[in-house]
Amino acid sequence: MPKAFDISNPPFDRLASSEAETLRASLDIAYYRPGEAIIGRDTPADALYVVIKGTVEEWDEAGLLALLGPKDTFDSRALVHDRNGHAFVARDETLCYVIPRKTALGLIKANARFAAFFYREISQKLDELANDEEARRYGSLMNAKVGELFLHAPSFVAASDTIEAAGHRMREIGSNALFVRDGERIGIVTGMNLSKAVVLRRQSIQTPVRELANFDIVSVRPDDFVSSALLLMTKHNKRRLAVHDGERFVGVLEEIDLLGFLAGSAQVIAGRIDRASSEQDLAIAARQIEAQVRLHRRQGVKVEVIAEIVSDLNRRLMSRLFEMVAPAELRTSSCLIAMGSEGRGEQTVRTDQDNGLILEGPIESETLELFRNEFSGALERFGFPPCPGNIMVSNPAWSKPLSDYLADFRRWLAIPDQAAHMNVAIIYDAQAFAGNEQLLDKAKMALIDLIRGEQAFLAHFARAIDAFETPIGLFNNLITSEGSGDALDLKKGGIFPIVHGVRSLALEQGLRETSTDKRISRLCDLGVLRTDFGRDLKQAFRFLLMLRIDGQLAASAGTSGTLVRPAHLSSMERHLLRDALQVVKQFRDIVRHHFKLGIF
């Protein structure tokens, strides 16, 4: 049975193959009865244990500390330091893999990455996980299939067609390569071929393309690996490959698209948005934005970078749409704003519309209404559903003059109900992305000035961190809901308390940063949060966002992707999720103490 040991279970996946064989050769299996001590308190451990079946209780002087389940590892601290102060007791009938002390210490001494798993803080552990994922995912990226890349549709011309005709055809289809049919032969002619013939060799534009075409085509199949395509391009010094499915040519793979796939093609999409001349062009770009999350996640790009890229592309898209549909008077006398996660730059998979408009002054009602309908309607056609709370440009409550917003601010502070708190959060997180940005600056400064020193309002505002329980128990066990399929809600239980707690502290300090990450940094600079805790809080937030992205990518249509099932996570991911949620609990206590929420 030791041969069945799962070497892919972290941290053992960090072992070299020879180290893994050493481990397997030394393994034993032990059985423990309910209540039997596996490691006593303040006693050295003679082995490292990995739970196969059953539950192990971890006790300290204060009582039961944690419950360990299958694939969980214990206790490296007692192993290395001879004693730890914690006891490990079988709660029920338990089977464990037993790794002898000598073997375990030898692996820890020989492999720094393996050793790091046991001793580092959550921020360092999460960095290790990110680095491991980057190496793993880049390898899987190279093993992606050619059919997953953007391919230019095949277009054919006759060998007798002229250079002039071929040039016009390339312009019509927006491609730089054409297939040339010459009887039974198929070749390729490119824009560079045409240019060299006319400019360098002074050939007539009436010359048949037969004289320019290359009939020695290098091709790949749609199910070939990306790595194979890259190798062929390098070996044959080609900038494009024909794609053939065994029966016919199905496309052309350009070097720029292959390299864009490997490096991330966000800049390509940004260029397409900037060059868009119609809503149809923007609709195509919107679909490509959606694919960026999956692409960058597969590449191992850090979650905060993915969110920033997607948010930037979405804002760029909406800014271009604003330029297309807004009349001239509106473009110079209003400010289009993104709110919610879009405003904070934390958008991942596309969600509903969350935007507004600040006007410098009154606008003719028919002109304004026409813009509201066209803008929100176009976004809906692009795949952005209407906001369930109607927080979007089409709602007159969120597209009106600055003076009306300022009146709202005063009313929200005078009547600080739940709706007022939500509205303050919306405006505070807003970011301008088109029009006169000074209008949002004035609105935010006015809001911050009104709230400055209003400790009662800020305390009530901060109370929302307790809207949802953190899904972790007294014994460090993850709490799931049977009604949700034994899952826990990452957004309610982890992401929201961090976002709102940080937002509350930042608002009190009058900070102008919008992203949660940057707000945490500034709060550390100001001494509101300890630097070491701020680092852990950032990493916990990023890890929760990463799990949420994975859930969103895997979710079926119509689901939020915020639910995660611990049973579907790896042992290391469950371990880190528990660590992250413990950080969330600590942060909630900090916010409660800071705003004296115990008096409510």
Side-chain angles (χ1 to χ4, degrees):
M1 190 169 175
K3 292 296 182 183
F5 184 84
D6 184 6
I7 206 70
S8 67
N9 177 37
F12 303 102
D13 59 345
R14 302 177 178 197
L15 298 176
S17 57
S18 60
E19 293 170 334
E21 288 307 312
T22 299
L23 171 66
R24 282 198 171 102
S26 69
L27 281 175
D28 199 357
I29 293 176
Y31 166 79
Y32 300 94
R33 298 183 302 275
E36 183 177 356
I38 303 174
I39 301 177
R41 182 177 296 128
D42 290 322
T43 60
D46 57 3
L48 187 66
Y49 299 85
V50 181
V51 181
I52 301 172
K53 180 182 178 182
T55 305
V56 175
E57 299 174 345
E58 181 179 0
W59 292 77
D60 64 4
E61 293 180 356
L64 185 58
L65 180 65
L67 298 176
L68 307 179
K71 295 191 175 183
D72 286 334
T73 303
F74 67 97
D75 179 47
S76 59
R77 290 165 295 186
L79 194 73
V80 174
H81 303 298
D82 289 336
R83 60 193 69 246
N84 177 41
H86 291 193
F88 294 83
V89 180
R91 166 170 281 204
D92 41 36
E93 290 190 330
T94 300
L95 285 176
C96 289
Y97 285 116
V98 181
I99 305 170
R101 174 188 179 92
K102 182 178 179 181
T103 301
L105 290 179
L107 293 172
I108 287 172
K109 183 178 180 180
N111 189 319
R113 293 179 63 251
F114 177 71
F117 172 82
F118 300 104
Y119 308 112
R120 295 187 175 180
E121 300 300 320
I122 182 174
S123 58
Q124 295 168 304
K125 289 179 182 178
L126 287 168
D127 281 341
E128 287 281 340
L129 177 65
N131 292 335
D132 288 350
E133 280 209 333
E134 185 171 356
R136 233 178 6 251
R137 290 178 183 277
Y138 187 75
S140 69
L141 188 70
M142 292 296 288
N143 288 326
K145 301 298 181 66
V146 168
E148 298 178 42
L149 278 60
F150 175 78
L151 303 177
H152 294 267
S155 183
F156 289 80
V157 293
S160 58
D161 285 346
T162 65
I163 290 177
E164 182 181 23
H168 285 299
R169 180 63 179 155
M170 287 179 184
R171 185 177 62 182
E172 289 171 7
I173 64 173
S175 178
N176 198 41
L178 298 172
F179 287 105
V180 178
R181 187 177 280 114
D182 187 21
E184 296 298 318
R185 296 193 305 168
I186 298 293
I188 285 184
V189 65
T190 68
M192 183 61 71
N193 295 146
L194 304 185
S195 298
K196 285 182 176 180
V198 174
V199 177
L200 299 181
R201 296 195 297 271
R202 302 299 180 98
Q203 289 180 259
S204 167
I205 60 174
Q206 299 305 313
T207 302
V209 293
R210 177 188 294 108
E211 298 182 18
L212 318 177
N214 176 12
F215 290 95
D216 183 21
I217 292 180
V218 178
S219 64
V220 291
R221 299 173 64 95
D223 57 356
D224 283 344
F225 291 123
V226 166
S227 54
S228 298
L230 186 60
L231 181 61
L232 281 174
M233 282 186 175
T234 304
K235 182 178 180 180
H236 296 282
N237 193 26
K238 298 289 185 182
R239 292 188 176 181
R240 61 189 54 80
L241 300 173
V243 183
H244 196 282
D245 66 1
E247 296 181 359
R248 59 192 178 88
F249 288 101
V250 296
V252 176
L253 173 61
E254 296 277 357
E255 179 185 50
I256 189 172
D257 294 310
L258 188 150
L259 296 178
F261 177 79
L262 294 176
S265 54
Q267 68 277 17
V268 176
I269 298 174
R272 287 172 180 165
I273 291 172
D274 292 342
R275 294 190 302 271
S277 59
S278 67
E279 288 188 20
Q280 180 60 32
D281 292 340
L282 291 180
I284 294 172
R287 290 194 294 270
Q288 293 172 331
I289 292 172
E290 192 170 8
Q292 287 297 296
V293 177
R294 191 176 302 278
L295 170 62
H296 288 300
R297 184 72 185 108
R298 188 172 186 174
Q299 290 174 316
V301 176
K302 291 182 178 180
V303 63
E304 64 271 22
V305 177
I306 294 176
E308 189 172 347
I309 288 172
V310 173
S311 296
D312 179 70
L313 289 174
N314 281 337
R315 290 195 292 264
R316 190 183 292 256
L317 178 82
M318 294 179 197
S319 176
R320 187 73 185 96
L321 176 63
F322 180 72
E323 293 173 1
M324 286 184 180
V325 302
E329 59 178 311
L330 201 58
R331 292 199 298 271
T332 58
S333 62
S334 68
C335 178
L336 194 62
I337 58 177
M339 299 179 284
S341 58
E342 194 85 67
R344 295 191 305 274
E346 295 161 3
Q347 183 70 36
T348 52
V349 175
R350 181 184 303 165
T351 54
D352 50 54
Q353 298 182 40
D354 203 348
N355 45 52
L357 189 71
I358 303 176
L359 304 172
E360 189 174 7
I363 294 288
E364 203 275 324
S365 59
E366 290 185 5
T367 300
L368 183 57
E369 188 63 23
L370 180 62
F371 165 74
R372 287 170 175 160
N373 293 335
E374 287 186 354
F375 185 83
S376 296
L379 287 180
E380 188 170 357
R381 290 190 293 274
F382 294 169
F384 295 88
C387 172
N390 204 21
I391 302 169
M392 50 187 185
V393 165
S394 59
N395 181 359
W398 291 100
S399 57
K400 57 190 178 185
L402 175 61
S403 58
D404 290 350
Y405 279 104
L406 299 181
D408 284 345
F409 299 167
R410 291 187 288 270
R411 185 170 62 255
W412 296 343
L413 263 70
I415 309 174
D417 55 14
Q418 186 176 354
H421 293 153
M422 181 184 71
N423 291 338
V424 167
I426 289 170
I427 289 294
Y428 187 54
D429 287 351
Q431 185 169 357
F433 59 93
N436 183 358
E437 297 183 6
Q438 291 185 358
L439 293 172
L440 178 61
D441 288 339
K442 292 178 180 178
K444 278 199 176 185
M445 285 304 301
L447 181 65
I448 290 171
D449 287 343
L450 282 171
I451 293 175
R452 183 174 287 113
E454 294 287 342
Q455 290 304 121
F457 177 89
L458 286 165
H460 281 88
F461 181 77
R463 283 182 65 195
I465 64 162
D466 289 328
F468 311 105
E469 290 293 329
T470 304
I472 192 164
L474 292 174
F475 309 135
N476 209 31
N477 57 308
L478 299 171
I479 300 174
T480 60
S481 170
E482 292 183 5
S484 299
D486 287 328
L488 55 87
D489 193 311
L490 290 172
K491 183 177 180 180
K492 292 180 179 179
I495 296 172
F496 175 77
I498 294 177
V499 169
H500 189 68
V502 169
R503 176 165 50 212
S504 301
L505 294 170
L507 181 58
E508 179 189 42
Q509 298 297 319
L511 303 184
R512 297 298 304 274
E513 288 78 8
T514 55
S515 77
T516 301
D517 200 275
K518 290 179 180 177
R519 285 172 175 173
I520 292 173
S521 294
R522 289 284 288 117
L523 290 170
C524 290
D525 292 342
L526 294 170
V528 179
L529 294 176
R530 296 193 327 269
T531 301
D532 58 342
F533 181 77
R535 183 174 60 249
D536 285 351
L537 187 62
K538 280 186 181 183
Q539 291 289 24
F541 181 58
R542 292 167 183 172
F543 180 67
L544 293 172
L545 286 181
M546 184 190 76
L547 290 183
R548 185 187 182 192
I549 285 179
D550 289 344
Q552 289 172 322
L553 292 176
S556 58
T559 60
S560 68
T562 64
L563 296 179
V564 64
R565 290 166 177 78
H568 294 174
L569 301 177
S570 70
S571 174
M572 185 175 187
E573 286 172 331
R574 287 196 301 273
H575 173 82
L576 290 172
L577 179 56
R578 287 193 290 264
D579 281 353
L581 292 177
Q582 285 291 359
V583 172
V584 174
K585 287 186 70 173
Q586 293 175 46
F587 181 56
R588 287 173 64 170
D589 289 341
I590 289 171
V591 174
R592 289 192 195 102
H593 177 74
H594 183 90
F595 289 105
K596 300 178 176 58
L597 300 186
I599 66 175
F600 293 103

